[in-house]
Amino acid sequence: MSKQEFLYLSQEEAVACGADDIPATVADVNRATYLLYRGDAIEATTATLFWDLPKDDLKKTVGYKGTKRANIHAAFLDDDGDRMVGLKNIPSNPENPAKGRGPRASGLLTMLDPESGYPIALMDAAVISCIRTGALGALGARYLRKSGKNDVAVIATGPINQAAMEALVHVCEDGRDIGTVHVFDISADRAEAFAENLRKTYELEVIVSESAEAAVRASDIIMPATTLTDPGQAYIPYDWLRAGALFIDLSIWDAEYEVFAKADKLYANSIDALDRKNLTPGCLVDAGVMTPEQLLDLGGVIAGEVPGRDNDEQIIVYFARGMAIYDAICGHRVHKAALSRKTGQDLPLWTEPYWS
């Protein structure tokens, strides 16, 4: 039997091969959502490990006080014969930046040969995961925003919303369908730096809001990307939303349950989101806030089989739930680019297998 190798890509090498390519990632996320709806993708149940978590929180279905965790995801996609398998582990601790350790999360993405199951690539997952999360939020705006120019509320200005805003510009006709952007962050300095970057890069009209309420009330698209961990921390009531608003539930727990109960339409990037009872929308069914039948599949909208927005007065919620299908399809693209560019380092899994 022959030597088995896999290609290793550092974060810098993955970026050089398109890990942070917004248009390509939006296209990948769009395609993966469609493939899942069509039945050509499989998402495994996420495994989550918490440590340093209070024992009482371990008994909870929803909400927790701990911060340190590792999520393990796996997915398979068959894109008309182009088969791909990806495994992602992404540990995180929101305390990291404040303690000078670096980013909140790191991650590794392993791409597998769909026939042998052997690893063929190992790469940084942090950039891919962040960019595809932002792109997934913007994907909802592509299909569910009201017509004409949309004012935008950006709540929190970390990496997720940096990616989401760049992707939103892309899906909104390169920014032509974006009106005023209202930015709020608990750090006024971060908010102003974020706003100035948007002004310089995209020539958008950007206002730094004095509060989350001011930003939300003034906007048609609302994108929070915070690090809340419990529904008791929700701060956005229904009456902050104006007619025609699209609330993109990107970071979870920002909106009070009445937002979901009173919205005209509820969408998710997959109906499978109902199976995750520790997150919205799955927990909302258990709480009696909504029924499973109310949730509409964005993949069906992409396929032209599920209706989208009916009019510009409807208030719509879009649950943007992270899935490994997005990491896998993006990692597949990055891997192919690395092979083409001859980038990365070949590492041996074995020279001769221990068992033959």
PDB file of all heavy atoms in Angstrom, residues 93-112:
ATOM      1  N   ASN A  93     -13.599  30.997  22.993  1.00  0.00           N
ATOM      2  CA  ASN A  93     -13.737  31.605  24.307  1.00  0.00           C
ATOM      3  C   ASN A  93     -13.808  33.114  24.104  1.00  0.00           C
ATOM      4  O   ASN A  93     -12.800  33.742  23.751  1.00  0.00           O
ATOM      5  CB  ASN A  93     -12.555  31.242  25.211  1.00  0.00           C
ATOM      6  CG  ASN A  93     -12.704  31.819  26.616  1.00  0.00           C
ATOM      7  OD1 ASN A  93     -13.609  32.595  26.888  1.00  0.00           O
ATOM      8  ND2 ASN A  93     -11.804  31.432  27.523  1.00  0.00           N
ATOM      9  N   PRO A  94     -14.985  33.721  24.293  1.00  0.00           N
ATOM     10  CA  PRO A  94     -15.122  35.167  24.072  1.00  0.00           C
ATOM     11  C   PRO A  94     -14.208  36.023  24.948  1.00  0.00           C
ATOM     12  O   PRO A  94     -14.031  37.210  24.670  1.00  0.00           O
ATOM     13  CB  PRO A  94     -16.602  35.429  24.401  1.00  0.00           C
ATOM     14  CG  PRO A  94     -17.281  34.126  24.159  1.00  0.00           C
ATOM     15  CD  PRO A  94     -16.282  33.087  24.585  1.00  0.00           C
ATOM     16  N   GLU A  95     -13.629  35.437  25.992  1.00  0.00           N
ATOM     17  CA  GLU A  95     -12.738  36.199  26.865  1.00  0.00           C
ATOM     18  C   GLU A  95     -11.350  36.408  26.236  1.00  0.00           C
ATOM     19  O   GLU A  95     -10.566  37.232  26.721  1.00  0.00           O
ATOM     20  CB  GLU A  95     -12.568  35.472  28.202  1.00  0.00           C
ATOM     21  CG  GLU A  95     -13.863  35.320  28.998  1.00  0.00           C
ATOM     22  CD  GLU A  95     -13.649  34.446  30.228  1.00  0.00           C
ATOM     23  OE1 GLU A  95     -12.541  33.893  30.381  1.00  0.00           O
ATOM     24  OE2 GLU A  95     -14.598  34.314  31.016  1.00  0.00           O
ATOM     25  N   ASN A  96     -11.037  35.672  25.191  1.00  0.00           N
ATOM     26  CA  ASN A  96      -9.686  35.700  24.636  1.00  0.00           C
ATOM     27  C   ASN A  96      -9.191  37.098  24.269  1.00  0.00           C
ATOM     28  O   ASN A  96      -8.083  37.488  24.659  1.00  0.00           O
ATOM     29  CB  ASN A  96      -9.578  34.770  23.422  1.00  0.00           C
ATOM     30  CG  ASN A  96      -9.554  33.306  23.820  1.00  0.00           C
ATOM     31  OD1 ASN A  96      -9.263  32.962  24.966  1.00  0.00           O
ATOM     32  ND2 ASN A  96      -9.859  32.442  22.875  1.00  0.00           N
ATOM     33  N   PRO A  97      -9.967  37.888  23.484  1.00  0.00           N
ATOM     34  CA  PRO A  97      -9.439  39.210  23.100  1.00  0.00           C
ATOM     35  C   PRO A  97      -9.124  40.101  24.292  1.00  0.00           C
ATOM     36  O   PRO A  97      -8.067  40.754  24.323  1.00  0.00           O
ATOM     37  CB  PRO A  97     -10.575  39.792  22.240  1.00  0.00           C
ATOM     38  CG  PRO A  97     -11.291  38.602  21.708  1.00  0.00           C
ATOM     39  CD  PRO A  97     -11.251  37.591  22.817  1.00  0.00           C
ATOM     40  N   ALA A  98     -10.021  40.122  25.275  1.00  0.00           N
ATOM     41  CA  ALA A  98      -9.819  40.993  26.433  1.00  0.00           C
ATOM     42  C   ALA A  98      -8.601  40.568  27.251  1.00  0.00           C
ATOM     43  O   ALA A  98      -7.966  41.397  27.913  1.00  0.00           O
ATOM     44  CB  ALA A  98     -11.062  40.997  27.313  1.00  0.00           C
ATOM     45  N   LYS A  99      -8.274  39.287  27.196  1.00  0.00           N
ATOM     46  CA  LYS A  99      -7.144  38.786  27.966  1.00  0.00           C
ATOM     47  C   LYS A  99      -5.864  38.732  27.140  1.00  0.00           C
ATOM     48  O   LYS A  99      -4.869  38.160  27.577  1.00  0.00           O
ATOM     49  CB  LYS A  99      -7.477  37.413  28.537  1.00  0.00           C
ATOM     50  CG  LYS A  99      -8.578  37.480  29.599  1.00  0.00           C
ATOM     51  CD  LYS A  99      -8.779  36.148  30.316  1.00  0.00           C
ATOM     52  CE  LYS A  99      -9.797  36.300  31.439  1.00  0.00           C
ATOM     53  NZ  LYS A  99      -9.992  35.042  32.186  1.00  0.00           N
ATOM     54  N   GLY A 100      -5.902  39.318  25.943  1.00  0.00           N
ATOM     55  CA  GLY A 100      -4.708  39.433  25.129  1.00  0.00           C
ATOM     56  C   GLY A 100      -4.248  38.154  24.476  1.00  0.00           C
ATOM     57  O   GLY A 100      -3.091  38.043  24.051  1.00  0.00           O
ATOM     58  N   ARG A 101      -5.161  37.182  24.353  1.00  0.00           N
ATOM     59  CA  ARG A 101      -4.774  35.899  23.760  1.00  0.00           C
ATOM     60  C   ARG A 101      -4.940  35.873  22.249  1.00  0.00           C
ATOM     61  O   ARG A 101      -4.446  34.967  21.590  1.00  0.00           O
ATOM     62  CB  ARG A 101      -5.613  34.773  24.362  1.00  0.00           C
ATOM     63  CG  ARG A 101      -5.499  34.576  25.854  1.00  0.00           C
ATOM     64  CD  ARG A 101      -6.179  33.271  26.250  1.00  0.00           C
ATOM     65  NE  ARG A 101      -6.295  33.139  27.680  1.00  0.00           N
ATOM     66  CZ  ARG A 101      -7.440  33.223  28.356  1.00  0.00           C
ATOM     67  NH1 ARG A 101      -8.561  33.442  27.697  1.00  0.00           N
ATOM     68  NH2 ARG A 101      -7.458  33.095  29.661  1.00  0.00           N
ATOM     69  N   GLY A 102      -5.682  36.815  21.709  1.00  0.00           N
ATOM     70  CA  GLY A 102      -5.974  36.787  20.280  1.00  0.00           C
ATOM     71  C   GLY A 102      -7.457  36.649  20.035  1.00  0.00           C
ATOM     72  O   GLY A 102      -8.278  36.999  20.890  1.00  0.00           O
ATOM     73  N   PRO A 103      -7.853  36.143  18.871  1.00  0.00           N
ATOM     74  CA  PRO A 103      -9.274  36.070  18.514  1.00  0.00           C
ATOM     75  C   PRO A 103     -10.080  35.170  19.445  1.00  0.00           C
ATOM     76  O   PRO A 103      -9.534  34.296  20.130  1.00  0.00           O
ATOM     77  CB  PRO A 103      -9.251  35.484  17.097  1.00  0.00           C
ATOM     78  CG  PRO A 103      -7.877  35.749  16.585  1.00  0.00           C
ATOM     79  CD  PRO A 103      -6.979  35.696  17.784  1.00  0.00           C
ATOM     80  N   ARG A 104     -11.383  35.375  19.411  1.00  0.00           N
ATOM     81  CA  ARG A 104     -12.303  34.569  20.223  1.00  0.00           C
ATOM     82  C   ARG A 104     -12.200  33.096  19.878  1.00  0.00           C
ATOM     83  O   ARG A 104     -12.247  32.236  20.751  1.00  0.00           O
ATOM     84  CB  ARG A 104     -13.744  35.050  19.985  1.00  0.00           C
ATOM     85  CG  ARG A 104     -14.819  34.250  20.712  1.00  0.00           C
ATOM     86  CD  ARG A 104     -16.210  34.723  20.322  1.00  0.00           C
ATOM     87  NE  ARG A 104     -16.510  34.455  18.928  1.00  0.00           N
ATOM     88  CZ  ARG A 104     -17.013  33.292  18.481  1.00  0.00           C
ATOM     89  NH1 ARG A 104     -17.243  32.305  19.304  1.00  0.00           N
ATOM     90  NH2 ARG A 104     -17.256  33.135  17.190  1.00  0.00           N
ATOM     91  N   ALA A 105     -12.067  32.776  18.579  1.00  0.00           N
ATOM     92  CA  ALA A 105     -12.122  31.386  18.140  1.00  0.00           C
ATOM     93  C   ALA A 105     -10.954  31.029  17.235  1.00  0.00           C
ATOM     94  O   ALA A 105     -10.399  31.875  16.539  1.00  0.00           O
ATOM     95  CB  ALA A 105     -13.439  31.118  17.412  1.00  0.00           C
ATOM     96  N   SER A 106     -10.592  29.767  17.262  1.00  0.00           N
ATOM     97  CA  SER A 106      -9.688  29.183  16.280  1.00  0.00           C
ATOM     98  C   SER A 106     -10.454  28.050  15.617  1.00  0.00           C
ATOM     99  O   SER A 106     -11.625  27.826  15.914  1.00  0.00           O
ATOM    100  CB  SER A 106      -8.415  28.657  16.954  1.00  0.00           C
ATOM    101  OG  SER A 106      -8.742  27.608  17.860  1.00  0.00           O
ATOM    102  N   GLY A 107      -9.816  27.326  14.725  1.00  0.00           N
ATOM    103  CA  GLY A 107     -10.523  26.215  14.115  1.00  0.00           C
ATOM    104  C   GLY A 107      -9.681  25.482  13.101  1.00  0.00           C
ATOM    105  O   GLY A 107      -8.716  26.026  12.559  1.00  0.00           O
ATOM    106  N   LEU A 108     -10.044  24.240  12.860  1.00  0.00           N
ATOM    107  CA  LEU A 108      -9.411  23.421  11.838  1.00  0.00           C
ATOM    108  C   LEU A 108     -10.497  22.747  11.004  1.00  0.00           C
ATOM    109  O   LEU A 108     -11.484  22.241  11.542  1.00  0.00           O
ATOM    110  CB  LEU A 108      -8.509  22.350  12.460  1.00  0.00           C
ATOM    111  CG  LEU A 108      -7.195  22.831  13.094  1.00  0.00           C
ATOM    112  CD1 LEU A 108      -6.538  21.697  13.860  1.00  0.00           C
ATOM    113  CD2 LEU A 108      -6.256  23.392  12.036  1.00  0.00           C
ATOM    114  N   LEU A 109     -10.300  22.753   9.708  1.00  0.00           N
ATOM    115  CA  LEU A 109     -11.210  22.098   8.776  1.00  0.00           C
ATOM    116  C   LEU A 109     -10.453  20.975   8.082  1.00  0.00           C
ATOM    117  O   LEU A 109      -9.396  21.204   7.492  1.00  0.00           O
ATOM    118  CB  LEU A 109     -11.730  23.101   7.740  1.00  0.00           C
ATOM    119  CG  LEU A 109     -12.593  22.540   6.608  1.00  0.00           C
ATOM    120  CD1 LEU A 109     -13.885  21.919   7.147  1.00  0.00           C
ATOM    121  CD2 LEU A 109     -12.911  23.645   5.596  1.00  0.00           C
ATOM    122  N   THR A 110     -10.991  19.776   8.187  1.00  0.00           N
ATOM    123  CA  THR A 110     -10.405  18.616   7.519  1.00  0.00           C
ATOM    124  C   THR A 110     -11.296  18.211   6.357  1.00  0.00           C
ATOM    125  O   THR A 110     -12.490  17.963   6.544  1.00  0.00           O
ATOM    126  CB  THR A 110     -10.279  17.420   8.492  1.00  0.00           C
ATOM    127  OG1 THR A 110      -9.560  17.823   9.653  1.00  0.00           O
ATOM    128  CG2 THR A 110      -9.549  16.258   7.817  1.00  0.00           C
ATOM    129  N   MET A 111     -10.740  18.175   5.174  1.00  0.00           N
ATOM    130  CA  MET A 111     -11.458  17.685   4.004  1.00  0.00           C
ATOM    131  C   MET A 111     -11.070  16.220   3.781  1.00  0.00           C
ATOM    132  O   MET A 111      -9.888  15.863   3.858  1.00  0.00           O
ATOM    133  CB  MET A 111     -11.112  18.517   2.773  1.00  0.00           C
ATOM    134  CG  MET A 111     -11.467  19.995   2.892  1.00  0.00           C
ATOM    135  SD  MET A 111     -13.217  20.316   3.241  1.00  0.00           S
ATOM    136  CE  MET A 111     -14.001  19.619   1.763  1.00  0.00           C
ATOM    137  N   LEU A 112     -12.070  15.376   3.527  1.00  0.00           N
ATOM    138  CA  LEU A 112     -11.855  13.945   3.371  1.00  0.00           C
ATOM    139  C   LEU A 112     -12.089  13.520   1.927  1.00  0.00           C
ATOM    140  O   LEU A 112     -12.933  14.093   1.228  1.00  0.00           O
ATOM    141  CB  LEU A 112     -12.806  13.153   4.276  1.00  0.00           C
ATOM    142  CG  LEU A 112     -12.793  13.473   5.769  1.00  0.00           C
ATOM    143  CD1 LEU A 112     -13.772  12.556   6.496  1.00  0.00           C
ATOM    144  CD2 LEU A 112     -11.404  13.351   6.354  1.00  0.00           C
TER     145      LEU A 112
END
